[in-house]
Protein backbone atom coordinates (compact mmCIF):
# COMPACT_ATOMS: atom_id res chain seq x y z
CA UNK A 1 0.00 0.00 0.00
CA UNK A 2 1.60 3.31 -1.19
CA UNK A 3 1.37 6.69 0.48
CA UNK A 4 0.71 7.66 4.03
CA UNK A 5 -2.68 6.95 5.56
CA UNK A 6 -4.81 9.81 6.87
CA UNK A 7 -4.93 10.22 10.66
CA UNK A 8 -7.51 8.21 12.57
CA UNK A 9 -10.02 10.06 14.72
CA UNK A 10 -11.11 8.46 17.98
CA UNK A 11 -14.79 8.33 17.07
CA UNK A 12 -17.50 5.84 17.80
CA UNK A 13 -17.75 3.12 15.16
CA UNK A 14 -21.00 1.74 13.76
CA UNK A 15 -20.96 -1.95 12.82
CA UNK A 16 -23.72 -3.28 10.57
CA UNK A 17 -24.47 -6.99 10.95
CA UNK A 18 -26.31 -9.45 8.73
CA UNK A 19 -27.06 -13.03 9.80
CA UNK A 20 -28.06 -15.92 7.56
CA UNK A 21 -29.32 -19.15 9.11
CA UNK A 22 -28.02 -21.61 6.52
CA UNK A 23 -29.37 -24.63 8.38
CA UNK A 24 -31.27 -25.07 11.63
CA UNK A 25 -30.88 -28.48 13.21
CA UNK A 26 -32.37 -30.18 16.25
CA UNK A 27 -34.03 -28.06 18.94
CA UNK A 28 -33.44 -29.68 22.34
CA UNK A 29 -36.15 -28.61 24.79
CA UNK A 30 -34.61 -30.45 27.73
CA UNK A 31 -31.11 -28.96 27.39
CA UNK A 32 -32.43 -25.63 26.08
CA UNK A 33 -30.19 -25.38 23.04
CA UNK A 34 -30.36 -25.78 19.27
CA UNK A 35 -28.02 -26.74 16.45
CA UNK A 36 -27.45 -24.30 13.62
CA UNK A 37 -25.13 -23.49 10.76
CA UNK A 38 -24.99 -19.70 10.42
CA UNK A 39 -23.25 -17.08 8.35
CA UNK A 40 -22.48 -13.75 10.04
CA UNK A 41 -21.41 -10.69 8.08
CA UNK A 42 -20.29 -7.47 9.75
CA UNK A 43 -19.20 -4.32 7.93
CA UNK A 44 -17.94 -0.96 9.11
CA UNK A 45 -16.46 2.16 7.59
CA UNK A 46 -12.72 2.51 7.32
CA UNK A 47 -11.96 6.10 6.32
CA UNK A 48 -8.25 5.41 5.93
CA UNK A 49 -8.93 3.11 2.98
CA UNK A 50 -11.22 5.38 0.96
CA UNK A 51 -10.27 5.09 -2.74
CA UNK A 52 -7.42 2.78 -1.76
CA UNK A 53 -6.69 -0.91 -2.10
CA UNK A 54 -5.11 -3.27 0.37
CA UNK A 55 -4.61 -7.02 0.59
CA UNK A 56 -6.84 -9.14 2.80
CA UNK A 57 -3.90 -10.02 5.03
CA UNK A 58 -3.16 -6.36 5.75
CA UNK A 59 -6.75 -5.78 6.93
CA UNK A 60 -5.88 -7.39 10.25
CA UNK A 61 -3.75 -4.33 11.06
CA UNK A 62 -6.77 -2.03 11.04
CA UNK A 63 -9.49 -1.48 13.62
CA UNK A 64 -11.74 -4.44 14.44
CA UNK A 65 -15.00 -4.55 16.46
CA UNK A 66 -13.92 -7.82 18.14
CA UNK A 67 -17.34 -9.39 17.79
CA UNK A 68 -18.41 -12.39 19.85
CA UNK A 69 -21.32 -14.83 19.63
CA UNK A 70 -22.22 -14.90 23.31
CA UNK A 71 -24.54 -17.92 23.37
CA UNK A 72 -22.45 -20.40 21.37
CA UNK A 73 -21.77 -23.54 23.42
CA UNK A 74 -19.48 -25.41 21.05
CA UNK A 75 -18.63 -25.26 17.38
CA UNK A 76 -17.54 -27.90 14.89
CA UNK A 77 -16.78 -25.25 12.28
CA UNK A 78 -15.67 -21.68 12.86
CA UNK A 79 -14.01 -19.75 10.03
CA UNK A 80 -13.51 -15.98 9.78
CA UNK A 81 -12.15 -13.89 6.93
CA UNK A 82 -12.16 -10.22 5.90
CA UNK A 83 -12.62 -8.33 2.65
CA UNK A 84 -12.33 -4.72 1.57
CA UNK A 85 -15.32 -3.33 -0.33
CA UNK A 86 -15.81 0.09 -1.92
CA UNK A 87 -19.19 1.57 -2.79
CA UNK A 88 -19.95 3.65 -5.88
CA UNK A 89 -18.54 6.78 -4.26
CA UNK A 90 -15.28 5.07 -3.33
CA UNK A 91 -16.07 4.85 0.39
CA UNK A 92 -14.30 1.91 1.99
CA UNK A 93 -15.98 -0.73 4.13
CA UNK A 94 -14.21 -3.60 5.86
CA UNK A 95 -16.42 -6.68 5.66
CA UNK A 96 -15.84 -9.46 8.18
CA UNK A 97 -17.46 -12.78 7.31
CA UNK A 98 -17.84 -15.70 9.66
CA UNK A 99 -19.20 -19.21 9.15
CA UNK A 100 -19.98 -20.99 12.41
CA UNK A 101 -21.68 -24.34 13.02
CA UNK A 102 -22.46 -25.71 16.46
CA UNK A 103 -24.76 -25.67 19.47
CA UNK A 104 -26.30 -22.43 20.69
CA UNK A 105 -27.98 -21.92 24.05
CA UNK A 106 -31.48 -20.46 24.18
CA UNK A 107 -33.59 -19.73 27.23
CA UNK A 108 -36.92 -21.29 26.31
CA UNK A 109 -40.19 -19.78 27.52
CA UNK A 110 -42.33 -22.81 28.28
CA UNK A 111 -45.41 -21.34 29.95
CA UNK A 112 -47.50 -22.35 26.92
CA UNK A 113 -45.88 -25.77 26.41
CA UNK A 114 -46.72 -27.77 24.29
CA UNK A 115 -48.49 -24.96 22.40
CA UNK A 116 -45.47 -22.67 22.57
CA UNK A 117 -43.28 -20.89 20.09
CA UNK A 118 -39.61 -20.12 20.61
CA UNK A 119 -37.14 -17.56 19.33
CA UNK A 120 -33.90 -19.18 18.16
CA UNK A 121 -31.39 -16.37 18.33
CA UNK A 122 -27.74 -15.43 18.12
CA UNK A 123 -26.52 -13.00 20.75
CA UNK A 124 -23.85 -10.94 19.04
CA UNK A 125 -21.78 -8.61 21.21
CA UNK A 126 -18.37 -6.98 21.28
CA UNK A 127 -15.40 -6.92 23.63
CA UNK A 128 -15.40 -3.14 23.20
CA UNK A 129 -17.73 -0.98 25.31
CA UNK A 130 -20.81 0.74 23.94
CA UNK A 131 -19.00 4.09 24.03
CA UNK A 132 -16.64 2.90 21.28
CA UNK A 133 -18.83 0.72 19.05
CA UNK A 134 -22.49 0.26 18.18
CA UNK A 135 -23.84 -2.94 16.65
CA UNK A 136 -26.82 -2.47 14.33
CA UNK A 137 -28.78 -4.56 11.89
CA UNK A 138 -27.53 -4.06 8.35
CA UNK A 139 -29.79 -1.63 6.48
CA UNK A 140 -28.28 -2.45 3.08
CA UNK A 141 -28.54 -6.25 3.12
CA UNK A 142 -31.28 -8.48 4.52
CA UNK A 143 -30.80 -11.20 7.10
CA UNK A 144 -32.37 -14.49 6.03
CA UNK A 145 -33.13 -18.08 6.94
CA UNK A 146 -33.17 -21.22 4.82
CA UNK A 147 -36.32 -23.04 5.94
CA UNK A 148 -35.90 -25.77 3.33
CA UNK A 149 -33.02 -27.38 5.28
CA UNK A 150 -34.78 -27.46 8.65
CA UNK A 151 -33.98 -30.81 10.30
CA UNK A 152 -36.54 -30.89 13.13
CA UNK A 153 -39.56 -30.28 10.90
CA UNK A 154 -41.61 -33.14 12.39
CA UNK A 155 -41.72 -31.42 15.78
CA UNK A 156 -41.42 -27.73 14.87
CA UNK A 157 -42.69 -25.28 12.26
CA UNK A 158 -40.04 -22.75 11.25
CA UNK A 159 -41.26 -19.33 10.14
CA UNK A 160 -39.57 -17.70 7.18
CA UNK A 161 -38.42 -14.43 8.72
CA UNK A 162 -35.55 -13.05 10.77
CA UNK A 163 -35.77 -10.20 13.26
CA UNK A 164 -33.10 -8.26 15.13
CA UNK A 165 -33.27 -6.43 18.45
CA UNK A 166 -30.59 -3.96 19.52
CA UNK A 167 -29.74 -3.96 23.23
CA UNK A 168 -27.20 -2.62 25.69
CA UNK A 169 -26.18 -4.46 28.86
CA UNK A 170 -23.41 -4.95 31.38
CA UNK A 171 -21.32 -8.07 31.93
CA UNK A 172 -20.94 -9.99 35.15
CA UNK A 173 -17.22 -10.59 34.70
CA UNK A 174 -16.49 -6.92 34.09
CA UNK A 175 -14.78 -5.18 37.05
CA UNK A 176 -16.44 -1.89 36.17
CA UNK A 177 -20.16 -2.51 36.46
CA UNK A 178 -21.11 0.87 35.01
CA UNK A 179 -19.57 0.04 31.61
CA UNK A 180 -22.14 -1.08 29.07
CA UNK A 181 -21.57 -3.26 26.03
CA UNK A 182 -23.52 -3.37 22.75
CA UNK A 183 -25.71 -6.36 21.92
CA UNK A 184 -27.58 -7.40 18.82
CA UNK A 185 -29.97 -10.34 19.17
CA UNK A 186 -30.79 -11.81 15.74
CA UNK A 187 -33.22 -14.69 15.66
CA UNK A 188 -35.87 -16.69 13.88
CA UNK A 189 -39.09 -18.21 15.20
CA UNK A 190 -40.05 -21.87 15.60
CA UNK A 191 -43.56 -23.00 16.58
CA UNK A 192 -43.92 -26.39 18.25
CA UNK A 193 -46.19 -28.95 16.61
CA UNK A 194 -48.29 -30.06 19.59
CA UNK A 195 -49.89 -33.11 17.95
CA UNK A 196 -47.73 -35.64 19.79
CA UNK A 197 -48.63 -34.28 23.23
CA UNK A 198 -52.29 -33.79 22.33
CA UNK A 199 -52.81 -37.39 21.23
CA UNK A 200 -50.43 -39.17 23.60
CA UNK A 201 -50.79 -37.18 26.83
CA UNK A 202 -53.78 -34.83 26.86
CA UNK A 203 -56.22 -37.22 25.17
CA UNK A 204 -55.16 -40.17 27.34
CA UNK A 205 -55.37 -38.02 30.46
CA UNK A 206 -58.87 -36.93 29.44
CA UNK A 207 -59.98 -40.54 29.15
CA UNK A 208 -58.45 -41.46 32.52
CA UNK A 209 -59.97 -38.53 34.41
CA UNK A 210 -63.36 -38.98 32.75
CA UNK A 211 -63.39 -42.62 33.88
CA UNK A 212 -63.57 -41.32 37.45
CA UNK A 213 -67.21 -40.50 36.71
CA UNK A 214 -67.80 -44.16 35.83
CA UNK A 215 -67.06 -45.15 39.44
CA UNK A 216 -70.46 -43.73 40.40
CA UNK A 217 -71.99 -46.68 38.55
CA UNK A 218 -70.85 -48.92 41.42
CA UNK A 219 -73.46 -49.16 44.16
CA UNK A 220 -72.92 -46.95 47.19
CA UNK A 221 -73.08 -49.98 49.43
CA UNK A 222 -69.72 -51.13 47.97
CA UNK A 223 -67.38 -48.22 48.82
CA UNK A 224 -64.36 -50.52 48.76
CA UNK A 225 -64.94 -51.18 45.03
CA UNK A 226 -65.38 -47.49 44.30
CA UNK A 227 -62.22 -46.61 46.18
CA UNK A 228 -60.25 -49.38 44.49
CA UNK A 229 -61.16 -48.07 41.05
CA UNK A 230 -60.50 -44.42 42.00
CA UNK A 231 -57.10 -45.17 43.55
CA UNK A 232 -56.09 -47.18 40.46
CA UNK A 233 -57.02 -44.23 38.24
CA UNK A 234 -55.13 -41.91 40.57
CA UNK A 235 -51.93 -43.95 40.28
CA UNK A 236 -52.31 -44.06 36.50
CA UNK A 237 -52.60 -40.26 36.44
CA UNK A 238 -49.44 -39.92 38.53
CA UNK A 239 -47.60 -42.08 35.98
CA UNK A 240 -48.71 -39.82 33.15
CA UNK A 241 -47.56 -36.78 35.12
CA UNK A 242 -44.09 -38.31 35.28
CA UNK A 243 -44.10 -38.93 31.54
CA UNK A 244 -45.13 -35.35 30.83
CA UNK A 245 -42.46 -33.93 33.14
CA UNK A 246 -39.74 -35.92 31.38
CA UNK A 247 -40.27 -33.92 28.16
CA UNK A 248 -39.50 -30.47 29.58
CA UNK A 249 -36.65 -29.05 31.66
CA UNK A 250 -36.99 -28.68 35.42
CA UNK A 251 -38.63 -25.28 35.62
CA UNK A 252 -40.23 -23.51 38.56
CA UNK A 253 -43.51 -22.57 36.85
CA UNK A 254 -46.47 -24.46 35.41
CA UNK A 255 -46.94 -25.09 31.72
CA UNK A 256 -50.26 -25.63 29.94
CA UNK A 257 -49.58 -29.36 30.00
CA UNK A 258 -48.84 -29.28 33.75
CA UNK A 259 -52.10 -27.46 34.45
CA UNK A 260 -54.11 -29.99 32.50
CA UNK A 261 -52.44 -33.03 34.06
CA UNK A 262 -52.76 -31.54 37.55
CA UNK A 263 -56.47 -30.92 36.96
CA UNK A 264 -56.87 -34.60 36.06
CA UNK A 265 -55.02 -35.60 39.25
CA UNK A 266 -57.05 -33.24 41.43
CA UNK A 267 -60.32 -34.29 39.81
CA UNK A 268 -59.61 -37.98 40.41
CA UNK A 269 -58.47 -37.25 43.97
CA UNK A 270 -61.67 -35.33 44.86
CA UNK A 271 -63.84 -38.11 43.40
CA UNK A 272 -61.91 -40.63 45.50
CA UNK A 273 -62.41 -38.54 48.65
CA UNK A 274 -66.12 -38.24 47.89
CA UNK A 275 -66.51 -42.01 47.76
CA UNK A 276 -64.91 -42.22 51.19
CA UNK A 277 -67.21 -39.51 52.58
CA UNK A 278 -70.47 -40.86 51.15
CA UNK A 279 -69.80 -44.25 52.73
CA UNK A 280 -70.45 -42.61 56.14
CA UNK A 281 -74.09 -41.79 55.26
CA UNK A 282 -75.42 -45.31 55.67
CA UNK A 283 -77.98 -44.31 58.32
CA UNK A 284 -80.18 -42.55 55.74
CA UNK A 285 -80.35 -44.30 52.36
CA UNK A 286 -82.55 -41.62 50.74
CA UNK A 287 -80.28 -38.74 51.79
CA UNK A 288 -77.22 -40.68 50.65
CA UNK A 289 -78.74 -41.38 47.22
CA UNK A 290 -79.68 -37.70 46.70
CA UNK A 291 -76.24 -36.49 47.78
CA UNK A 292 -74.52 -39.03 45.54
CA UNK A 293 -76.64 -38.02 42.54
CA UNK A 294 -75.92 -34.30 42.91
CA UNK A 295 -72.25 -35.01 43.53
CA UNK A 296 -72.13 -36.89 40.24
CA UNK A 297 -73.87 -34.00 38.41
CA UNK A 298 -71.51 -31.47 40.01
CA UNK A 299 -68.42 -33.43 38.99
CA UNK A 300 -69.76 -33.79 35.46
CA UNK A 301 -70.45 -30.05 35.13
CA UNK A 302 -67.02 -29.13 36.54
CA UNK A 303 -65.34 -31.54 34.13
CA UNK A 304 -67.17 -30.10 31.10
CA UNK A 305 -66.68 -26.45 32.13
CA UNK A 306 -62.97 -26.90 32.66
CA UNK A 307 -62.47 -28.40 29.20
CA UNK A 308 -64.53 -25.66 27.57
CA UNK A 309 -62.57 -22.98 29.42
CA UNK A 310 -59.23 -24.69 28.64
CA UNK A 311 -60.12 -25.02 24.96
CA UNK A 312 -61.22 -21.38 24.67
CA UNK A 313 -57.95 -20.17 26.21
CA UNK A 314 -55.89 -22.26 23.77
CA UNK A 315 -57.87 -21.01 20.76
CA UNK A 316 -57.57 -17.36 21.79
CA UNK A 317 -53.84 -17.69 22.42
CA UNK A 318 -53.38 -19.45 19.09
CA UNK A 319 -55.17 -16.69 17.19
CA UNK A 320 -53.21 -13.93 18.96
CA UNK A 321 -49.92 -15.74 18.37
CA UNK A 322 -50.69 -16.35 14.70
CA UNK A 323 -51.57 -12.69 14.14
CA UNK A 324 -48.37 -11.60 15.88
CA UNK A 325 -46.17 -13.91 13.82
CA UNK A 326 -47.94 -13.01 10.57
CA UNK A 327 -47.38 -9.32 11.31
CA UNK A 328 -43.66 -9.93 11.87
CA UNK A 329 -43.45 -12.00 8.70
CA UNK A 330 -45.21 -9.29 6.71
CA UNK A 331 -42.86 -6.63 8.09
CA UNK A 332 -39.89 -8.79 7.07
CA UNK A 333 -41.30 -9.25 3.56
CA UNK A 334 -41.75 -5.50 3.14
CA UNK A 335 -38.16 -4.91 4.18
CA UNK A 336 -36.87 -7.64 1.84
CA UNK A 337 -38.86 -6.29 -1.12
CA UNK A 338 -37.49 -2.82 -0.44
CA UNK A 339 -33.87 -4.03 -0.40
CA UNK A 340 -33.92 -6.86 -2.96
CA UNK A 341 -36.78 -5.98 -5.29
CA UNK A 342 -39.69 -8.01 -6.60
CA UNK A 343 -37.52 -10.95 -7.69
CA UNK A 344 -36.91 -11.86 -4.04
CA UNK A 345 -40.46 -13.10 -3.53
CA UNK A 346 -40.39 -15.39 -6.58
CA UNK A 347 -36.99 -16.80 -5.55
CA UNK A 348 -38.35 -17.40 -2.07
CA UNK A 349 -41.34 -19.36 -3.39
CA UNK A 350 -39.05 -21.48 -5.58
CA UNK A 351 -36.88 -22.41 -2.59
CA UNK A 352 -39.92 -23.39 -0.54
CA UNK A 353 -40.65 -26.08 -3.12
CA UNK A 354 -37.44 -27.84 -2.11
CA UNK A 355 -38.87 -28.90 1.22
CA UNK A 356 -38.06 -32.48 2.09
CA UNK A 357 -40.65 -34.98 0.88
CA UNK A 358 -41.16 -38.49 2.34
CA UNK A 359 -39.79 -41.42 0.41
CA UNK A 360 -42.51 -43.38 -1.35
CA UNK A 361 -42.61 -47.07 -0.47
CA UNK A 362 -44.30 -49.93 -2.29
CA UNK A 363 -44.39 -53.70 -2.03
CA UNK A 364 -42.65 -54.12 -5.37
CA UNK A 365 -39.86 -51.54 -5.18
CA UNK A 366 -38.55 -48.60 -3.23
CA UNK A 367 -38.69 -45.28 -5.05
CA UNK A 368 -36.14 -42.80 -3.75
CA UNK A 369 -36.93 -39.15 -4.40
CA UNK A 370 -33.64 -37.21 -4.30
CA UNK A 371 -33.60 -33.93 -2.47
CA UNK A 372 -32.55 -31.05 -4.75
CA UNK A 373 -29.92 -28.68 -3.45
CA UNK A 374 -31.66 -25.45 -2.46
CA UNK A 375 -30.86 -22.29 -4.33
CA UNK A 376 -28.63 -20.21 -2.08
CA UNK A 377 -28.84 -16.99 -4.09
CA UNK A 378 -31.74 -15.63 -2.05
CA UNK A 379 -29.53 -15.96 1.05
CA UNK A 380 -26.97 -13.64 -0.52
CA UNK A 381 -24.07 -15.93 0.41
CA UNK A 382 -21.44 -16.82 -2.16
CA UNK A 383 -20.88 -20.54 -2.46
CA UNK A 384 -17.14 -19.86 -2.55
CA UNK A 385 -17.47 -18.50 1.00
CA UNK A 386 -19.11 -21.70 2.24
Amino acid sequence: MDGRLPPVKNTKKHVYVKVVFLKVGEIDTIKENFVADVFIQARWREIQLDNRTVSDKDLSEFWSPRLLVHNVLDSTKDRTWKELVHDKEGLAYVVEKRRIKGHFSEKLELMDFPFDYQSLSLQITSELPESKVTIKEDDKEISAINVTCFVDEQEWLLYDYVEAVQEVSTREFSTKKHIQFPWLVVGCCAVRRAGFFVWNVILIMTLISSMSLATFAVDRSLPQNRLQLSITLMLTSVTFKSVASANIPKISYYTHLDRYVLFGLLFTYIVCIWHAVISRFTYNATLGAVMDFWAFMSFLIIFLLFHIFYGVILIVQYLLRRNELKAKELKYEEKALKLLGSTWKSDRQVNKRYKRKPTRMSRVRVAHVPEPEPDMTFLMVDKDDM
Side-chain angles (χ1 to χ4, degrees):
M1 183 171 57
D2 299 330
R4 297 183 61 184
L5 296 175
V8 179
K9 296 181 180 180
N10 189 16
T11 58
K12 186 176 182 178
K13 290 274 191 176
H14 298 280
V15 179
Y16 302 93
V17 174
K18 178 190 78 170
V19 175
V20 178
F21 290 87
L22 301 173
K23 185 177 182 180
V24 179
E26 181 184 2
I27 304 173
D28 194 330
T29 304
I30 305 296
K31 298 180 180 180
E32 294 189 285
N33 62 50
F34 66 95
V35 180
D37 186 1
V38 296
F39 172 80
I40 304 172
Q41 175 180 291
R43 64 180 181 90
W44 59 90
R45 284 277 288 118
E46 188 56 69
I47 302 177
Q48 292 181 290
L49 298 178
D50 287 349
N51 299 309
R52 295 172 179 267
T53 58
V54 66
S55 64
D56 295 342
K57 293 183 179 179
D58 294 335
L59 289 176
S60 59
E61 301 176 0
F62 292 86
W63 182 89
S64 174
R66 297 158 67 180
L67 297 180
L68 302 172
V69 181
H70 184 264
N71 62 325
V72 61
L73 298 175
D74 59 71
S75 59
T76 57
K77 177 189 296 184
D78 194 346
R79 176 180 170 229
T80 305
W81 66 101
K82 293 182 179 179
E83 297 176 358
L84 180 63
V85 178
H86 293 84
D87 61 10
K88 297 180 180 180
E89 300 176 356
L91 302 179
Y93 288 87
V94 177
V95 180
E96 181 183 88
K97 299 182 179 181
R98 184 178 182 182
R99 175 80 180 274
I100 180 171
K101 180 180 180 181
H103 290 81
F104 300 87
S105 64
E106 183 66 47
K107 184 178 179 181
L108 303 182
E109 301 293 338
L110 299 171
M111 283 81 71
D112 298 332
F113 177 86
F115 308 98
D116 57 321
Y117 68 98
Q118 303 296 337
S119 176
L120 310 178
S121 59
L122 299 183
Q123 301 171 10
I124 302 173
T125 184
S126 172
E127 295 181 359
L128 302 177
E130 196 269 339
S131 59
K132 294 184 178 181
V133 62
T134 300
I135 305 176
K136 300 180 178 180
E137 183 182 10
D138 200 330
D139 56 353
K140 301 295 184 182
E141 298 185 27
I142 188 76
S143 297
I145 180 171
N146 187 8
V147 297
T148 60
C149 293
F150 184 40
V151 174
D152 216 359
E153 192 175 359
Q154 295 294 330
E155 188 176 350
W156 297 85
L157 172 63
L158 193 63
Y159 270 74
D160 194 2
Y161 76 87
V162 177
E163 63 176 349
V165 178
Q166 190 174 353
E167 299 177 353
V168 176
S169 64
T170 58
R171 294 181 183 172
E172 296 297 332
F173 59 83
S174 177
T175 56
K176 298 180 180 180
K177 298 296 182 181
H178 64 278
I179 297 180
Q180 294 183 324
F181 295 87
W183 287 71
L184 184 69
V185 181
V186 184
C188 56
C189 180
V191 178
R192 191 187 305 272
R193 300 181 189 270
F196 173 83
F197 298 96
V198 170
W199 298 113
N200 294 277
V201 179
I202 293 180
L203 178 61
I204 303 301
M205 194 65 200
T206 303
L207 297 177
I208 294 174
S209 56
S210 63
M211 289 177 64
S212 298
L213 298 172
T215 58
F216 284 89
V218 180
D219 192 86
R220 289 185 302 106
S221 61
L222 299 173
Q224 66 276 15
N225 292 348
R226 283 188 171 191
L227 291 173
Q228 183 181 11
L229 293 174
S230 298
I231 293 174
T232 302
L233 293 174
M234 184 72 183
L235 294 176
T236 307
S237 301
V238 171
T239 303
F240 262 87
K241 179 65 175 68
S242 302
V243 173
S245 300
N247 290 278
I248 59 175
K250 296 179 180 179
I251 52 181
S252 59
Y253 52 85
Y254 288 117
T255 66
H256 275 329
L257 188 63
D258 289 330
R259 296 185 188 96
Y260 188 86
V261 174
L262 286 175
F263 168 78
L265 284 168
L266 183 62
F267 184 80
T268 306
Y269 170 78
I270 295 176
V271 171
C272 183
I273 294 299
W274 170 255
H275 293 325
V277 171
I278 195 62
S279 64
R280 301 295 92 191
F281 290 84
T282 55
Y283 61 90
N284 192 331
T286 303
L287 178 62
V290 172
M291 292 177 60
D292 201 43
F293 171 78
W294 285 109
F296 170 77
M297 295 302 298
S298 300
F299 286 130
L300 179 60
I301 293 172
I302 291 173
F303 186 82
L304 294 177
L305 288 178
F306 172 82
H307 284 82
I308 293 173
F309 181 73
Y310 188 82
V312 169
I313 290 179
L314 292 182
I315 293 174
V316 171
Q317 288 184 345
Y318 167 76
L319 294 176
L320 293 176
R321 179 185 66 191
R322 186 183 64 176
N323 293 337
E324 178 186 356
L325 296 180
K326 288 295 182 182
K328 290 182 179 180
E329 195 171 28
L330 181 60
K331 182 179 179 181
Y332 175 78
E333 289 181 359
E334 292 175 353
K335 180 180 178 181
L337 289 174
K338 181 180 179 181
L339 294 177
L340 303 179
S342 58
T343 57
W344 171 82
K345 198 165 188 177
S346 59
D347 293 340
R348 185 190 191 195
Q349 293 174 350
V350 169
N351 278 274
K352 282 187 176 182
R353 297 173 187 172
Y354 289 136
K355 282 194 173 182
R356 187 177 290 112
K357 298 181 180 180
T359 306
R360 298 179 180 179
M361 306 293 292
S362 65
R363 295 183 179 179
V364 179
R365 61 177 182 176
V366 177
H368 176 65
V369 181
E371 179 185 352
E373 183 181 356
D375 183 10
M376 304 300 290
T377 57
F378 83 105
L379 297 175
M380 303 182 65
V381 180
D382 296 332
K383 287 191 175 182
D384 294 336
D385 297 338
M386 299 174 57

